[in-house]
Amino acid sequence: MKNRLGILNIVFIATFAGQLSAQSYPFHRVYDTKAKRFVDFETMVARLATQDLVFLGEQHNDPRTHQLQAAVLEGIARRRSGPIVLALEMFERDVQGPLDNYLTGTLSEEQFLATSRPWPNYPTDYRPMVEFARSKQWPVIAGNIPRRYASQVARRGLAAIDSLPAAERGWVAAQLDCPRDAYWERFRGVMGDMGGHGTPMTKEQLEATVWRTYEAQCVKDETMGES
């Protein structure tokens, strides 16, 4: 994934109204794992503003995480000239058209939300970042694979992607890599209790189900990485 990223402008990724202000958000403690000490928020943002790519993970239903994301985005904007690209996990690639049309003003917000499948907490947790980017005329990237394709992979494996029509294949990363590596081992450890839900499965059936679920996650990761 790293080798496929050719990024000229800074990209702020949030896997998640009005003018933003860092002072509007709760105080956050920032721990520098390399230096093994706490630093202040402005020190962190100053460092992030020198980078080409900033990735922020999140708990999707944690409002404070989204407040932090918005504050980081605004803080980077104060330190960088030129466009910043905001990429979001919550929007899927097949809604890039409505998203672009909303950003350029050719689609109303009501029409945009009706056609883009936003998450329930979009108005409170993601809209501030999108509106900030819109006010700056920055691009916003719908980064994720359409969920219906990820569901197909979870049921049938990667063969589901191979059978997609050519017009839809572009909504999934061109290169898909799903190795049985340390990520797989951690994923299997987390998902290994799936046998306790629904129809009882043999060990082989459980392993196959967890593997297909892992493939679906890899497809999401690769598509977001490529986006």
Side-chain angles (χ1 to χ4, degrees), residues 20 52 96 185 198:
L20 300 180
D52 291 325
Q96 187 68 57
E185 294 300 332

Side-chain angles (χ1 to χ4, degrees), residues 34-213:
K34 187 174 182 180
K36 293 182 172 56
R37 62 184 177 87
F38 285 97
V39 298
D40 61 79
F41 178 81
E42 291 298 324
T43 296
M44 178 190 72
V45 174
R47 293 178 183 174
L48 297 182
T50 67
Q51 303 302 308
D52 291 325
L53 176 71
V54 176
F55 173 82
L56 292 182
E58 65 176 53
Q59 295 289 338
H60 298 320
N61 60 353
D62 178 14
R64 290 176 66 88
T65 299
H66 302 299
Q67 291 172 345
L68 174 63
Q69 292 169 339
V72 170
L73 180 62
E74 190 274 343
I76 291 174
R78 285 188 279 112
R79 292 168 171 81
R80 290 287 291 255
S81 60
I84 293 174
V85 180
L86 171 65
L88 294 169
E89 173 185 4
M90 66 153 294
F91 285 126
E92 298 161 13
R93 274 185 167 183
D94 59 339
V95 304
Q96 187 68 57
L99 177 55
D100 289 342
N101 290 337
Y102 173 65
L103 295 172
T104 58
T106 59
L107 203 64
S108 71
E109 184 174 27
E110 182 179 10
Q111 293 169 319
F112 159 59
L113 295 177
T115 56
S116 60
R117 304 189 301 274
W119 292 352
N121 60 337
Y122 174 81
T124 56
D125 293 348
Y126 296 95
R127 184 178 185 271
M129 289 182 284
V130 173
E131 291 301 308
F132 188 69
R134 185 171 183 251
S135 72
K136 298 285 188 180
Q137 298 183 317
W138 292 339
V140 179
I141 302 300
N144 210 349
I145 179 178
R147 67 194 72 177
R148 59 187 179 275
Y149 300 144
S151 297
Q152 290 176 24
V153 173
R155 292 193 302 269
R156 298 169 46 208
L158 290 179
I161 301 301
D162 296 334
S163 62
L164 287 178
E168 300 176 31
R169 182 61 180 82
W171 291 334
V172 184
Q175 179 180 333
L176 299 175
D177 188 22
C178 200
R180 292 181 181 267
D181 57 6
Y183 182 31
W184 155 244
E185 294 300 332
R186 292 195 299 273
F187 186 91
R188 181 166 60 174
V190 171
M191 301 296 290
D193 64 348
M194 289 179 65
H197 305 278
T199 305
M201 291 183 284
T202 66
K203 180 179 179 180
E204 291 75 17
Q205 290 172 326
L206 175 61
E207 183 80 2
T209 298
V210 174
W211 174 254
R212 289 194 302 271
T213 305

